[in-house]
């Protein structure tokens, strides 16, 4: 099929125009998958457009809701979810280009093959442990849904892709789930449980080492699976040892109760087998945590702010935005972007479910916004103020033109140009179909602007963050100490919470350092760069000379006063 025909398909689906479809990657009963480019960012991605099944759509959307919170190096990231104009559900994920895991079996050198196999097995065990800890079951682990991605300096890593059947655990119901030959017996009756993922992972690892599925493929595989046990891995291809034989036997047990108790327990066993006879005792006794950010997607508190922002986007979806611009007011690190992202995710799911009218959400800086809507710089004009106004008016008009088909929300990165544009927009009554959201240190002082101020995080909310990342309770007083140190700054609280979680997970104690390090250095650098140039100069001068910093920074008394406040 030609690319032109595929673009015509996009138009018939009614997919948002930001996604430019390329070649069709696959098709099946569940829908079609395309390579694509996100025109708003230029990032390669994969778009899966599901078959039109109105009865299953609402349930599917509820199941997908938690996927955007995942952040793990061995999971393809979910970028977007929505509903096409023709009612079909679509899902957008990262595009991972690389060979399948079955390519491991073709490595000729046995020692290298074993090393690669064990590394990829740990990758997939860690990915499932992360998924299951978030209450998500993949539902279709198989070689076709694993890609090997090269990471500079680290070699190949396994990435689990295609979340089309993912969702919360379901004991039974509906039709068969998964890919025949890899799906567990109970998955054929509609079950979607962590044990189903473990069985499928066992079959996938079996094929990665041996080059063949333990039961074959298609309906004959189901017959063999129901008739008896899988062959021993070493009988097909030796070289891994009895430990892996026993683990694969357990993973491929027809009775879910005989499989490892959890993906974290499986991760522990895989770590022990990969380390061999020299395994330290503590590795064997403690259950390792998966990789990935333990706090990714976790959002606590801010109920009033969430309700206010959601109400504004609900009105926008109806073509009745209450303002032209909305400032999320707080200091750098206050969680302004995180607030927007959690509400944007809720809105995307609600729109895809048909619970609200769809809207387009764009994110980026001022220059990228101009490029996105195709507006260049205005011609040179002797009147500099007029040139700026012409430029801003052209951008505003282009946004309104784009919003004719569906309302448009623009989240604009903080910056001087962004603040000028927000003030320009908020000087005139809103059309109702566009809304500019801007993280800002203060309200936009214009007649048609709104502001939502972010309150500081409390000790109780910081405790909720820590509890989301580790089951071990911290010693008394530690959470309160973090809250006192952070002084309400969300970014600092999160850095310290991550440090505490790492300490609790490692079993090395709960002491949380507030000394500078890579994490705090980056946070402080971002905060410093977010300050105005006058304030940056004053801060540097204060560090260098102390008293008389205003003179050293070249600021007169009038300029130094607001900079030092």
């Amino acid at each position: 099929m030609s690319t032109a025909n595929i673009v015509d398909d996009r138009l018939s689906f009614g997919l948002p125009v930001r996604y430019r479809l390329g070649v069709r990657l696959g098709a099946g009963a569940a829908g079609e998958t395309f390579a694509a480019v996100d025109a708003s960012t230029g990032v390669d991605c994969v778009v899966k457009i599901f078959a039109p099944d109105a009865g299953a759509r609402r349930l599917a959307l509820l199941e997908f809701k938690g996927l955007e919170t995942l952040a793990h190096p061995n999971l393809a990231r979910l970028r977007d979810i929505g509903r096409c104009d023709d009612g079909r559900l679509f899902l957008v994920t990262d595009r991972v280009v690389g060979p399948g895991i079955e390519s491991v079996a073709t490595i000729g050198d046995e020692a290298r093959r074993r090393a690669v196999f064990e590394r990829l097995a740990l990758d997939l065990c860690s990915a499932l442990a992360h998924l299951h800890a978030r209450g998500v079951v993949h539902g279709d682990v198989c070689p076709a849904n694993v890609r090997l991605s090269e990471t500079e300096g680290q070699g190949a890593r396994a990435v689990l892709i295609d979340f089309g059947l993912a969702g919360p655990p379901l004991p039974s119901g509906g039709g068969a789930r998964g890919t025949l030959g890899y799906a567990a017996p109970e998955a054929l009756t509609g079950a979607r449980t962590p044990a189903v993922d473990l069985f499928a992972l066992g079959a996938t690892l079996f094929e990665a080492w041996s080059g063949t599925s333990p039961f074959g493929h298609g309906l004959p595989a189901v017959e063999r699976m129901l008739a008896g046990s899988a062959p021993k891995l070493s009988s097909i291809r030796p070289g891994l040892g009895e430990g892996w034989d026993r683990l694969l036997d357990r993973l491929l047990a027809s009775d879910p109760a005989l499989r490892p108790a959890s993906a974290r327990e499986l991760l522990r066993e895989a770590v022990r087998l990969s380390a061999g006879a020299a395994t330290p005792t503590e590795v064997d006794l403690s259950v390792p945590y998966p990789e990935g950010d333990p706090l990714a997607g976790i959002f606590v508190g801010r109920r009033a702010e969430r309700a206010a922002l959601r109400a504004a986007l609900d009105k926008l979806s109806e073509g009745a935005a209450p303002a032209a611009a909305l400032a999320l007011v707080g200091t750098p690190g206050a969680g302004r972007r995180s607030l927007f992202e959690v509400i944007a995710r809720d809105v995307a799911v609600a729109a895809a479910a048909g619970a609200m009218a769809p809207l387009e959400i764009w994110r980026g800086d001022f220059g990228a916004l101009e490029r996105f809507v195709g507006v260049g710089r205005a011609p040179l004009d002797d009147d500099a103020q007029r040139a700026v106004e012409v430029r801003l008016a052209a951008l505003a008009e282009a946004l309104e033109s784009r919003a004719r088909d569906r309302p448009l929300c623009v989240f604009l990165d903080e910056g001087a140009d962004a603040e000028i544009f927000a003030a320009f927009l908020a000087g005139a009554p809103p059309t109702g179909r566009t809304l500019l959201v801007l993280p800002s240190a203060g309200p936009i002082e214009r007649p048609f602007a709104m502001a939502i101020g972010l309150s500081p995080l409390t000790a109780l909310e910081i405790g909720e963050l820590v509890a989301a990342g580790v089951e071990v309770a911290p010693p008394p007083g530690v959470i309160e100490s973090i809250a006192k140190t952070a002084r309400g700054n969300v970014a600092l609280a999160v850095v310290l919470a991550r440090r505490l979680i790492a300490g609790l997970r490692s079993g090395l104690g709960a002491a949380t350092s507030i000394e500078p390090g890579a994490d705090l250095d980056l946070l402080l650098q971002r905060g410093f760069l977010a300050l105005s140039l006058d304030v940056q100069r004053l801060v540097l001068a204060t560090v260098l000379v102390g008293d008389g910093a205003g003179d050293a920074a070249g600021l007169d008394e009038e300029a130094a006063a607001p900079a030092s406040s």
Side-chain angles (χ1 to χ4, degrees), residues 174-191:
R177 300 175 187 269
T179 300
L180 299 182
Y182 307 92
E186 66 270 27
L188 303 179
T189 65

Side-chain angles (χ1 to χ4, degrees), residues 151-290:
T151 304
E152 187 174 351
Q154 299 181 11
R157 61 185 174 92
V159 180
L160 191 57
I161 64 173
D162 196 342
F163 295 94
L165 297 179
L170 291 173
S172 63
R177 300 175 187 269
T179 300
L180 299 182
Y182 307 92
E186 66 270 27
L188 303 179
T189 65
R192 181 177 59 204
T193 64
V196 165
D197 275 353
L198 298 188
F199 182 98
L201 177 59
T204 298
L205 293 178
F206 191 105
E207 182 165 332
W209 178 258
S210 68
T212 183
S213 168
F215 300 104
H217 301 92
L219 289 176
V222 175
E223 295 172 359
R224 295 188 193 99
M225 179 177 63
L226 298 177
S229 302
K232 288 230 179 274
L233 179 61
S234 58
S235 70
I236 306 298
R237 187 175 202 172
L240 276 180
E242 293 182 1
W244 281 104
D245 267 355
R246 289 192 295 270
L247 182 55
L248 268 293
D249 284 347
R250 291 176 60 205
L251 286 171
L252 295 172
S254 59
D255 182 353
L258 298 178
R259 299 172 204 154
S262 67
R264 276 185 59 194
E265 175 67 24
L266 174 61
L267 178 57
R268 183 194 75 139
E269 295 197 34
V271 167
R272 182 169 52 81
L273 286 173
S274 299
T279 305
T281 302
E282 62 269 18
V283 173
D284 188 42
L285 295 178
S286 64
V287 180
Y289 282 83

Side-chain angles (χ1 to χ4, degrees), residues 537-554:
R537 288 158 59 194
L538 186 62
V539 168
L540 290 173
T542 301
V543 171
L544 293 172
V545 304
D547 294 338
D551 293 337

